[in-house]
């Protein structure tokens, strides 16, 4: 497909990696000089593991999908990342956000370039409560303020 040609061209790959590094560099959760804590039953911690439903990762040997969320030191969610190496599309439910925020699409590796990683001004809320991932793809969501 054309998007693979654009992504795997030297300039397409360079563009994606440059934008990915820029985005990751702005995440407080990745700028810490200490180890992350895993989410405990009361919901606090910087990294939480998920499956197709929040807080329910499938650790079985047959599973080919996983999601995680990262929070900053004040337990504010900063990103939700879903990895789908299944041969079929899957739908995932991201963790809940405070009422004034919605999940917005940042990265979708199944989208044609340059829509595979979006600038902050192009991030858009996901439709509905779930996010659909194409086979063998990665999606990253970020919290966005609700528009009035």
């Amino acid at each position: 497909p054309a998007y693979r040609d654009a992504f795997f061209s030297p300039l397409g790959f360079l563009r994606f990696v440059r934008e990915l590094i820029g985005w990751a560099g702005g995440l407080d959760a990745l700028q810490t000089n200490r180890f992350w804590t895993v989410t405990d039953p009361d919901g606090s911690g910087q990294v939480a593991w998920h499956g197709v439903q929040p807080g329910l990762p499938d650790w079985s040997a047959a599973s080919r999908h996983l999601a995680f969320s990262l929070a900053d030191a004040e337990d504010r969610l900063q990103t939700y990342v879903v990895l789908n190496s299944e041969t079929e599309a899957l739908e995932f439910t991201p963790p809940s956000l405070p009422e004034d925020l919605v999940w917005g699409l940042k990265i979708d590796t199944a989208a044609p370039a340059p829509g595979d990683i979006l600038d902050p001004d192009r991030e858009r809320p996901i439709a509905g409560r779930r996010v659909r991932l194409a086979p063998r793809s990665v999606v990253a969501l970020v919290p966005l303020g609700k528009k009035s």
Side-chain angles (χ1 to χ4, degrees):
Y3 77 88
R4 287 191 183 162
D5 294 340
F7 179 80
F8 287 109
S9 72
L11 292 178
F13 184 71
L14 177 63
R15 175 201 51 81
F16 183 88
V17 171
R18 182 182 299 132
E19 292 183 30
L20 180 64
I21 290 169
W23 171 63
L27 291 176
D28 291 340
L30 297 178
Q31 305 308 311
T32 185
N33 60 357
R34 59 187 163 69
F35 292 105
W36 291 333
T37 57
V38 176
T39 302
D40 58 29
D42 73 1
S44 62
Q46 282 81 51
V47 62
W49 298 101
H50 311 285
V52 294
Q53 296 296 321
L56 299 172
D58 180 355
W59 298 117
S60 71
S63 177
R64 300 290 179 260
H65 61 272
L66 185 64
F68 64 91
S69 55
L70 294 178
D72 63 16
E74 285 77 42
D75 291 329
R76 292 181 302 238
L77 283 173
Q78 292 201 308
T79 190
Y80 170 73
V81 178
V82 187
L83 312 148
N84 180 18
S85 65
E86 303 278 0
T87 57
E88 298 175 2
L90 291 176
E91 286 192 356
F92 291 77
T93 301
S96 297
L97 288 169
E99 289 292 319
D100 60 333
L101 299 173
V102 295
W103 285 113
L105 184 65
K106 177 66 180 178
I107 296 172
D108 182 354
T109 61
D116 49 359
I117 185 166
L118 302 174
D119 293 329
D121 60 334
R122 293 187 56 222
E123 296 164 355
R124 61 190 181 281
I126 61 169
R129 178 72 184 104
R130 297 175 60 85
V131 62
R132 184 173 178 82
L133 266 77
R136 297 187 175 102
S137 65
V138 176
V139 162
L141 304 179
V142 293
L144 301 175
K146 285 185 179 176
K147 300 207 186 235
S148 306

